[in-house]
Amino acid sequence: MSTYFVSSPIYYVNDRPHIGHIFTTFVVDTIARYRRLRGDEVFCLTGTDEHGQKIERAAAARGLEPIALADEVVAVYHRLWAELGISHDDFIRTTEARHIAGVREIVARIAASGDFYLNHHEGLYCTACEVFYTEKELLAGNRCPIHESACEPRSEQNLFFRLSKYQQALLDLYERQPGFIKPEIRANEMKQFVASGLRDLSVSRSNVQWGIPFPGHEGHTIYVWLDALSNYITALGFGQPDPGLYQKFWAEGDERVHIVGKDILRFHSVYWPAFLLSAGLPLPTTVWAHGFWLRDERKIAKSGGNIFRPNHLIERFGGDPLRYFLLREMVFGQDASFSDEAFVDRFNSDLANDLGNTLSRLVTVSRKAFAGRSSDRRSDALKAASEAAIADYRRAMDGFAFQEALRALWRLLQETNQYLVQNEPWKKIGGPNSGQVGEVLWTSCEALRLIAVALLPIMPDKAARILESLACPVADSLDALAWGGLPCGVPLPAPAPLFPRIDKAVFLAEISADSPQEKKIVTTVPPKPDPDAAPAGTSPKINYDQFMNVELRVAAVVAAERVPKSSKLLLLTLDAGEAEKRTVVAGIAKAYEPEALVGRQVIIVANLEPAKLMGVESNGMVLAASEDGLPILLAPERAVPPGTRVR
Ligand code: MSP
């Protein structure tokens, strides 16, 4: 049995999870699940990066100790990963004693190699990246090339790591092990970066308290990237009393794979191997850098522009459809564009229609034809097509080409559908040729079973439910991808809809009423907090004039009615003291009956741009607090004339 170590990056705790964290973790979990099914002994690692100035400052901004902020965000991560069914074997926090012990050991080994030296250092520092830049690397006005925010001049005595000493060893590594950095385009970028000359790296901070003290250098803390990268082996017990997992999965492990975003590839494919070489420790076998999710085609900057959270999709549909969408839509390694519209389209066509309808049709027809059971007439009609698709799927999954893998499965789904349409078994039930009906149904259900087994790493929950519908066990090995495993003549449960079709117009209107600004995804530096759940005081400050530009007014509800087909939206007619009444669409139907609102006063944003929601023009926004997802309307303490300004 081979061992397979796969890791996500460890996530900063200054921010709550967003699409980047969710996507990388989905990928890592998919790989881990696939490898387990393939028969490997897998160790899947994720966790949080909790030290450094960025965290120190974010905590101070909220009047918290850094560890209190970290605990709060870590709890959010644990909840989310449980909700999304992430199957990690460990979650490492860099503030844990086991990690700190391991980092000290790595630092001691690097020190023993003579690769640290003290030097005076002046440079321009980006706190968001936790990186010093040279003027050459910066944008005009000494702004960070990633975050576009101004870098701070720093002058301090630092410990340096002799990165330059490892230039040739790194180039040799890339040459010797062509798959070390994936995809190739990124490998070439890294080779060029190293070949153009490596400067020694400052690896201690004397102005940052929130970090691991640098052994032997009082007043210095260990540079957060040296601290963070070490997590991959400290989580396995390196430098601790029981390094058993380290021996098994790293030192003697077969594959050691890091999945990272392209923005942090340099740290993983240049600095990390150099640290390990210096410490005399084995290197990862592959560092895979994926691209970025862009929102509505807009360029993304790491913690600057366009960070977004697909919470509304997870809340409504669970994790699996989002997981399917992200893996299906992106060519792994390249950037891809995210939009709610694209999500709904793919959900409806691929999941509700192709997969869900085919399954429920097959189960319904089989139950009808065979008195509540599956067919007992085997046939190999779809065997060749299935075997070809499964072979393509496996090749693609082995190479992390998730989109290709899913395309192969959907090709088989379409072939199955065509075959069904050609044979129309539903028209032949009870006819003279029930044997043929049985064969058509068996072979089609078998193709679907194979698709479901293959989907287990990608949509673990939904795939298990498809297998249940076909009265098949949830597979624990890819051996189940061999043709012929579908049981004959067993009772089939009545089909439950797996992917109920989404009414696109209703859905898009509801989410934009929930958070109009999410629709166009607000971009802020620092990242935009979720309007509902973000702790107070973490949004960027606005000045008085900016606040006064928002026209808040009291309005009286004159009439209220439900928006047809929507469970969330009400159409309110409001008197805001103007010549004409205005209509506002508000996402409050889950908490308020329309009749009970008439005569009440509310507070509105009166100068919001009009927006069309489900064909109705909405002129403004009604203010509400939100608790457990339910809105609570705001109102003046006692009635005032409609139109009264609120400030
Ligand atoms: N703490 C470091 C990693 C240390 S690993 C030893 C870090 N943390 S992070 O929270 O900022 O990282 C988030 C991950 O999300 C990175 O892999 C980053 O590339 C990824 N993404 C951030 N925004 C993203 C998208 N819009 N799309 C896809 N992934 C992107 O960096």
Side-chain angles (χ1 to χ4, degrees), residues 166-181 187 191 256 269 273-274 276-277 281-285:
Y166 292 94
Q167 178 167 342
Q168 195 50 48
L170 289 169
L171 291 173
D172 293 346
L173 164 71
Y174 305 151
E175 198 60 38
R176 201 174 55 240
Q177 231 174 288
F180 180 73
I181 303 173
K191 274 182 220 164
R256 304 174 288 276
S269 62
L276 287 168
L277 285 169
L281 298 172
L283 309 184
T285 51

Side-chain angles (χ1 to χ4, degrees), residues 107-387:
V107 167
R109 286 181 181 231
I110 298 178
S113 298
D115 284 339
F116 291 136
Y117 63 94
L118 262 176
N119 203 0
H120 184 77
H121 189 217
E122 280 185 17
L124 290 152
Y125 196 72
C126 171
T127 312
C129 294
E130 300 277 14
V131 162
F132 275 106
Y133 284 103
T134 58
E135 270 177 39
K136 211 168 61 195
E137 292 168 317
L138 293 174
L139 306 175
N142 287 343
R143 285 174 306 119
C144 163
I146 293 176
H147 297 89
E148 299 181 13
S149 48
C151 290
E152 300 168 18
R154 291 274 170 80
S155 162
E156 56 188 65
Q157 181 88 344
N158 277 344
L159 279 137
F160 278 76
F161 169 70
R162 293 187 204 280
L163 183 62
S164 54
K165 178 174 151 188
Y166 292 94
Q167 178 167 342
Q168 195 50 48
L170 289 169
L171 291 173
D172 293 346
L173 164 71
Y174 305 151
E175 198 60 38
R176 201 174 55 240
Q177 231 174 288
F180 180 73
I181 303 173
K182 300 278 268 175
E184 213 175 308
I185 179 174
R186 302 273 167 236
N188 292 336
E189 280 170 18
M190 289 302 115
K191 274 182 220 164
Q192 262 173 28
F193 171 74
V194 173
S196 69
L198 290 177
R199 283 178 302 132
D200 290 348
L201 187 70
S202 135
V203 287
S204 77
R205 298 287 179 269
S206 49
N207 62 335
V208 180
Q209 312 299 312
W210 182 237
I212 304 175
F214 207 111
H217 293 274
E218 211 178 310
H220 288 258
T221 51
I222 295 173
Y223 174 44
V224 64
W225 273 100
L226 171 53
D227 166 349
L229 287 160
S230 307
N231 91 88
Y232 300 127
I233 58 174
T234 64
L236 294 171
F238 177 79
Q240 298 149 63
D242 181 6
L245 290 172
Y246 168 76
Q247 278 307 327
K248 179 170 176 178
F249 286 98
W250 194 273
E252 293 155 18
D254 294 298
E255 288 188 65
R256 304 174 288 276
V257 179
H258 300 310
I259 305 292
V260 300
K262 62 182 182 182
D263 56 328
I264 56 173
L265 177 61
R266 185 194 294 187
F267 299 96
H268 285 81
S269 62
V270 180
Y271 302 166
W272 177 225
F275 294 150
L276 287 168
L277 285 169
S278 169
L281 298 172
L283 309 184
T285 51
T286 306
V287 181
W288 232 108
H290 62 73
F292 265 35
W293 280 99
L294 316 181
R295 176 82 184 199
D296 299 331
E297 300 294 346
R298 289 179 47 182
K299 190 172 172 298
I300 208 159
K302 190 176 174 200
S303 62
N306 224 4
I307 292 290
F308 61 100
R309 302 189 167 79
N311 297 5
H312 56 298
L313 301 178
I314 296 171
E315 273 161 26
R316 280 164 196 248
F317 310 110
D320 279 8
L322 177 63
R323 201 164 154 137
Y324 172 79
F325 174 80
L326 296 177
L327 293 173
R328 173 64 183 77
E329 204 73 9
M330 179 182 259
V331 175
F332 195 60
Q334 297 176 18
D335 290 346
S337 188
F338 184 95
S339 76
D340 290 314
E341 286 90 328
F343 173 85
V344 176
D345 289 343
R346 209 163 259 300
F347 183 101
N348 283 342
S349 76
D350 296 12
L351 299 180
N353 191 45
D354 296 346
L355 186 57
N357 283 353
T358 309
L359 175 73
S360 75
R361 181 187 241 190
L362 271 175
V363 172
T364 306
V365 178
S366 299
R367 280 167 50 91
K368 203 162 151 199
F370 300 101
R373 294 179 169 261
S374 64
S375 155
D376 58 4
R377 292 284 296 251
R378 292 168 166 265
S379 146
D380 284 346
L382 289 170
K383 182 175 182 207
S386 298
E387 285 179 347

Side-chain angles (χ1 to χ4, degrees), residues 467-535:
L467 289 169
E468 253 166 51
S469 309
L470 295 168
C472 295
V474 175
D476 58 4
S477 154
L478 290 188
D479 292 347
L481 288 176
W483 178 260
L486 185 77
C488 287
V490 292
L492 289 179
L498 268 185
F499 302 103
R501 215 184 152 70
I502 305 171
D503 185 321
K504 189 171 171 184
V506 174
F507 172 71
L508 294 178
E510 287 185 352
I511 57 173
S512 55
D514 274 355
S515 56
Q517 67 278 56
E518 276 291 310
K519 205 177 43 167
K520 294 211 175 68
I521 291 314
V522 175
T523 68
T524 53
V525 181
K528 186 183 84 57
D530 175 342
D532 288 350

Side-chain angles (χ1 to χ4, degrees), residues 583-645:
T583 51
V584 173
V585 177
I588 56 173
K590 290 231 161 106
Y592 294 92
E593 289 300 327
E595 310 76 53
L597 288 173
V598 177
R600 276 185 68 151
Q601 291 202 323
V602 292
I603 298 186
I604 62 167
V605 180
N607 61 338
L608 200 63
E609 278 180 359
K612 268 230 158 129
L613 300 177
M614 298 193 65
V616 187
E617 189 167 278
S618 180
N619 290 287
M621 184 167 85
V622 173
L623 295 189
S626 168
E627 191 182 47
D628 297 331
L630 287 178
I632 302 159
L633 285 170
L634 302 189
E637 200 179 18
R638 60 181 176 74
V640 294
T644 302
R645 182 100 195 236

Side-chain angles (χ1 to χ4, degrees), residues 546-554 576 578 582 603-608 621 623 643-647:
Q546 286 167 322
F547 171 67
M548 291 310 280
N549 281 338
V550 182
E551 201 183 312
L552 299 174
R553 292 193 184 275
V554 176
E578 298 150 315
R582 59 163 80 204
I603 298 186
I604 62 167
V605 180
N607 61 338
L608 200 63
M621 184 167 85
L623 295 189
T644 302
R645 182 100 195 236
V646 176
R647 48 181 68 143

